[in-house]
Amino acid sequence: VYLVMESTTPKNITVLLDGKQVPKKYYSADMNQDGIIRVQQARAYEIINLGKNYGRHTLTIQLPEGVTAYVFTFVGETKKSN
């Protein structure tokens, strides 16, 4: 899951999965070692990486004042056609 965001100054974003801290196995490329995402430049930030563990979950994103969020994107596996 990706979210396009920006901030005029660096801000920390907290992500919760089903009301709890995201397990390390689901950390995204944009998370630090504590599961925090630092937002500043306008771009798509990877919010969580569930890999192949798809399912029904509640994703909570705690945005501090000063962060602007624009659009979610969901990237799945793509199959090559022969």
Side-chain angles (χ1 to χ4, degrees), residues 1-21:
V1 176
Y2 294 82
L3 177 57
V4 177
M5 300 180 281
E6 72 176 327
S7 178
T8 55
T9 60
K11 301 282 185 173
N12 291 336
I13 303 302
T14 303
V15 180
L16 303 175
L17 181 65
D18 299 325
K20 300 176 185 170
Q21 184 175 0

Side-chain angles (χ1 to χ4, degrees), residues 62-79:
Q62 298 173 335
L63 301 174
E65 189 173 327
V67 174
T68 304
Y70 297 103
V71 65
F72 279 100
T73 62
F74 301 87
V75 178
E77 291 185 39
T78 57
K79 294 183 180 181

Side-chain angles (χ1 to χ4, degrees), residues 45-59:
Y45 290 85
E46 186 179 21
I47 299 301
I48 194 166
N49 183 349
L50 294 176
K52 294 184 185 269
N53 295 315
Y54 300 105
R56 183 172 284 223
H57 296 282
T58 300
L59 189 62

Side-chain angles (χ1 to χ4, degrees), residues 17-32:
L17 181 65
D18 299 325
K20 300 176 185 170
Q21 184 175 0
V22 174
K24 289 187 185 230
K25 66 182 180 178
Y26 299 139
Y27 276 17
S28 74
D30 286 312
M31 287 181 168
N32 67 15

